[in-house]
Amino acid sequence: MSVIEALNWRYATKKMNGETVSQDKVDQILAAARLAPTSSGLQPFKIIVVTNPELKEKIKAVSFGQSQITDCSHLLIFAAWDNYTEERIKGVFSRTNAERGVPDSATADYVNTIIGMYTAKTAEENFHHAAKQAYIAFGVALTEAALLKVDATPMEGFNPADLDELLGLRAQGLRSTTLLPLGYRDSAGDWLVNLKKVRTPVNDFVIEFK
């Protein structure tokens, strides 16, 4: 199946049937998200995978009671860094340099430049930038799920502060950004499943300068 075919197949699943997604497919979705591009290759986010039923019930309570949270097989939570710090940036590049077999001095000038750029901004500005990077991986994960015929529901409908407290994310330097329940559609119980996919016409969506 092509990416276009997969994206035409997928939709924001409103009702899942509770069927388990195989671990190999979940691993493939996570691998795709891990390979997503990010600014300077920093990957300033984590993905939290929740399968525990009791915890999913608690997350549902801070997600406006949306049933996909508890009916899904695996709940992916994308959580971005709360700030860019010198320690974090240097840590990423030190690991990259070590794997590439080059000294830290090879990237020192570039690393100092981006440290200066980020540390000149507020923590809130940096969090929003990190969240945008998480969204790139979020979209890649959503697309990979569709290619694997795994249903998913992109969600912003939750209380981030409550979820952060529930999972202790702030203590880890993280803040939640989006949720992605993975599972399989309940075709009999989902009002959206058979509705036509509608998008902005290409002529209205694309602006060309020739």
Side-chain angles (χ1 to χ4, degrees):
M1 179 168 31
S2 72
V3 170
I4 296 299
E5 289 172 328
L7 294 177
N8 272 308
W9 171 83
R10 70 150 301 277
Y11 73 108
T13 309
K14 302 302 180 186
K15 179 68 176 173
M16 294 186 175
N17 63 13
E19 184 180 342
T20 300
V21 178
S22 64
Q23 189 60 49
D24 65 307
K25 289 186 176 181
V26 175
D27 290 343
Q28 196 164 330
I29 292 165
L30 293 171
R34 179 173 169 266
L35 290 169
T38 58
S39 181
S40 299
L42 290 172
Q43 294 183 286
F45 56 88
K46 304 283 188 184
I47 302 176
I48 300 152
V49 183
V50 179
T51 56
N52 180 277
E54 291 78 14
L55 182 54
K56 287 198 287 186
E57 284 287 355
K58 293 177 181 178
I59 295 171
K60 180 180 178 180
V62 299
S63 303
F64 308 106
Q66 295 180 86
S67 66
Q68 301 98 315
I69 301 293
T70 47
D71 293 341
C72 74
S73 170
H74 295 69
L75 176 64
L76 308 188
I77 301 169
F78 288 71
W81 288 358
D82 58 3
N83 196 7
Y84 290 104
T85 66
E86 180 175 348
E87 181 182 13
R88 283 174 164 175
I89 293 168
K90 284 185 173 180
V92 171
F93 278 92
S94 289
R95 182 179 67 244
T96 300
N97 292 336
E99 291 196 23
R100 290 176 174 171
V102 298
D104 284 344
S105 58
T107 57
D109 288 345
Y110 180 70
V111 169
N112 288 333
T113 296
I114 63 172
I115 287 172
M117 179 180 68
Y118 286 121
T119 56
K121 297 179 180 179
T122 66
E124 192 66 18
E125 287 174 320
N126 283 335
F127 164 69
H128 284 297
H129 184 273
K132 289 178 182 178
Q133 309 311 302
Y135 267 89
I136 297 171
F138 182 74
V140 171
L142 189 66
T143 302
E144 183 66 20
L147 283 165
L148 295 172
K149 284 290 187 80
V150 173
D151 284 299
T153 309
M155 285 186 175
E156 290 183 313
F158 64 98
N159 187 310
D162 287 349
L163 183 57
D164 293 352
E165 182 177 358
L166 176 64
L167 300 178
L169 295 184
R170 290 300 187 105
Q172 302 176 59
L174 298 168
R175 294 170 61 180
S176 55
T177 60
T178 47
L179 308 180
L180 189 63
L182 302 175
Y184 295 102
R185 64 190 68 177
D186 178 355
S187 296
D190 192 337
W191 61 269
L192 187 58
V193 66
N194 292 317
L195 295 183
K196 180 181 178 180
K197 183 184 289 287
V198 178
R199 294 294 187 269
T200 303
V202 173
N203 289 342
D204 291 334
F205 184 68
V206 178
I207 300 173
E208 294 188 75
F209 290 88
K210 296 183 178 179

